[in-house]
Amino acid sequence: MSHHYSGPDFGFPHGDAHIDLTDLYAFPKPGDAGKSILVMNVHPSFGMKPPGPTTSVPFSPEAIYELRIDTNGDSVADIAYRVRFTSTEGGAQTATLRRVEGAQAAGIGDHGQVILEWAPVSTGPEARVTEAGGYRFFAGWRSDPFYFDVEGALNNLQFTGNDYFADKDVCSIVLEAPNSDLGPKKMGLWVRTLDGASGKWVQADRGARSNQTPFLAGEQNPAYLAADPADDARFIPVFAHALEHTGGYTSAEATRVAGTMLPDILHYDPTRPASYPINGRALTDDVVDFFLPPSQMER
């Protein structure tokens, strides 16, 4: 999704960098056609407003980091993988991964079947991987694979050619899963973060496809972040307004293109190679070139 700063005015949702989603990747495991690699990146190491480093603590213990899977094309989650983290104890965090299906997957909460627990979070160069029941799991700081000229984007698209994220990090949650546990051959994917700091779970951020939230949601940003893909048709007018006024589209064309960008779901078939935006997303896919001319999203 490449949001990086998906909160209001290029800030963080709820003012918390820990629960800011940056990217979603999905691709077949190299050398093993029976498994897929799903990556949720969160928590940019550097903020724009205010500018400066965020925090060295990777994940919030008051949040749920969730991967959602639609298996029947109705834009409602049928399967969900939920990750909770402990508070830092002696500088270390651990993770618990749960899986839930059906009505519980479509809802909100931290319940579910435990797939693995006490998985160590990596804070250094060593990748600490936990394995259980056909799954492999990693969580921790890693170099940000996304590349984009942020300074140019914020200066009326007058690009400088500099990759702002070249020296930045993100916190990655990586799940290697059997395709048989992800549903049928073709699925829809998105991720979300839930904030429990108030004592009640509240959706803070969500997304799947590149760049849409900060550039197109406009004054509807908070409502968009709190919504589900099944309700995304209501955001077509605000997306169309942004396309019409920044992309030079006619009103009718802007509405048509906005309709191709929603619901905000990444379609993925694990039996086919990953190629954004047609099928999943590989780590090296150039998503920005597909977003800047939004009509490319119709491919």
Side-chain angles (χ1 to χ4, degrees), residues 11 26 91 104 265:
Q104 288 186 330
I265 286 177

Side-chain angles (χ1 to χ4, degrees), residues 112-163:
Q113 175 192 359
V114 174
I115 301 298
L116 54 86
E117 55 187 340
W118 307 115
V121 171
S122 297
T123 56
E126 178 187 1
R128 306 178 70 183
V129 177
T130 302
E131 301 186 29
Y135 289 85
R136 300 179 76 227
F137 176 87
F138 167 89
W141 284 107
R142 280 299 177 262
S143 177
D144 192 343
F146 180 62
Y147 44 94
F148 190 50
D149 183 352
V150 173
E151 295 174 351
L154 297 180
N155 186 29
N156 198 30
L157 302 183
Q158 302 300 307
F159 293 108
T160 67
N162 297 323
D163 177 13

Side-chain angles (χ1 to χ4, degrees), residues 15 31 89 97 102 129-131 152 172 192 195 210 250 256 258 267 277 286 296:
E89 298 176 3
L97 171 69
V129 177
T130 302
E131 301 186 29
S172 292
R192 73 176 180 179
D195 184 3
S210 168
T250 66
R256 183 188 69 81
H267 297 289
D286 187 0
Q296 293 278 356

Side-chain angles (χ1 to χ4, degrees), residues 91-112:
Q93 284 186 299
T94 64
T96 297
L97 171 69
R98 291 180 169 86
R99 183 181 186 275
V100 63
E101 297 184 13
Q104 288 186 330
I108 192 168
D110 64 350
H111 43 265

Side-chain angles (χ1 to χ4, degrees), residues 32 65 100-101 157-158 165 187 205 241 249 279 289 294:
D32 189 345
Y65 300 82
V100 63
E101 297 184 13
L157 302 183
Q158 302 300 307
F165 297 104
M187 66 196 77
D205 199 358
H241 176 80
Y249 291 85
N279 189 57
D289 280 351

Side-chain angles (χ1 to χ4, degrees), residues 11-287:
F12 297 122
H14 298 191
D16 187 352
H18 293 104
I19 53 178
D20 184 87
L21 294 162
T22 69
D23 287 285
L24 169 64
Y25 301 91
F27 51 90
K29 180 183 179 181
D32 189 345
K35 292 187 175 181
S36 289
I37 309 296
L38 308 176
V39 182
M40 178 197 320
N41 284 344
V42 301
H43 187 184
S45 64
F46 200 89
M48 291 293 293
K49 295 188 177 181
T54 53
T55 171
S56 62
V57 177
F59 303 97
S60 170
E62 298 180 318
I64 297 174
Y65 300 82
E66 188 170 281
L67 171 72
R68 297 167 71 74
I69 304 173
D70 168 28
T71 63
N72 59 13
D74 64 356
S75 301
V76 175
D78 301 293
I79 300 170
Y81 288 92
R82 294 168 173 163
V83 185
R84 291 289 310 273
F85 293 91
T86 60
S87 58
T88 55
E89 298 176 3
Q93 284 186 299
T94 64
T96 297
L97 171 69
R98 291 180 169 86
R99 183 181 186 275
V100 63
E101 297 184 13
Q104 288 186 330
I108 192 168
D110 64 350
H111 43 265
Q113 175 192 359
V114 174
I115 301 298
L116 54 86
E117 55 187 340
W118 307 115
V121 171
S122 297
T123 56
E126 178 187 1
R128 306 178 70 183
V129 177
T130 302
E131 301 186 29
Y135 289 85
R136 300 179 76 227
F137 176 87
F138 167 89
W141 284 107
R142 280 299 177 262
S143 177
D144 192 343
F146 180 62
Y147 44 94
F148 190 50
D149 183 352
V150 173
E151 295 174 351
L154 297 180
N155 186 29
N156 198 30
L157 302 183
Q158 302 300 307
F159 293 108
T160 67
N162 297 323
D163 177 13
Y164 177 82
F165 297 104
D167 60 350
K168 306 298 191 297
D169 295 328
V170 289
C171 290
S172 292
I173 298 172
V174 184
L175 179 65
E176 177 185 305
N179 292 333
S180 57
D181 284 3
L182 301 180
K185 184 171 66 173
K186 188 174 182 179
M187 66 196 77
L189 305 174
W190 69 100
V191 288
R192 73 176 180 179
T193 55
L194 303 178
D195 184 3
S198 67
K200 179 181 179 181
W201 292 120
V202 177
Q203 182 168 300
D205 199 358
R206 59 98 175 196
R209 302 172 81 171
S210 168
N211 291 299
Q212 296 187 174
T213 299
F215 292 108
L216 298 179
E219 63 183 15
Q220 292 295 310
N221 179 282
Y224 182 75
L225 294 182
D228 291 320
D231 300 322
D232 274 354
R234 67 188 175 108
F235 297 106
I236 290 177
V238 70
F239 271 43
H241 176 80
L243 292 172
E244 185 177 354
H245 286 80
T246 61
Y249 291 85
T250 66
S251 178
E253 183 71 359
T255 298
R256 183 188 69 81
V257 173
T260 70
M261 304 175 78
L262 297 169
D264 189 6
I265 286 177
L266 183 69
H267 297 289
Y268 175 58
D269 180 346
T271 67
R272 300 170 53 204
S275 179
Y276 186 88
I278 302 169
N279 189 57
R281 178 181 172 188
L283 295 175
T284 56
D285 282 344
D286 187 0
V287 296

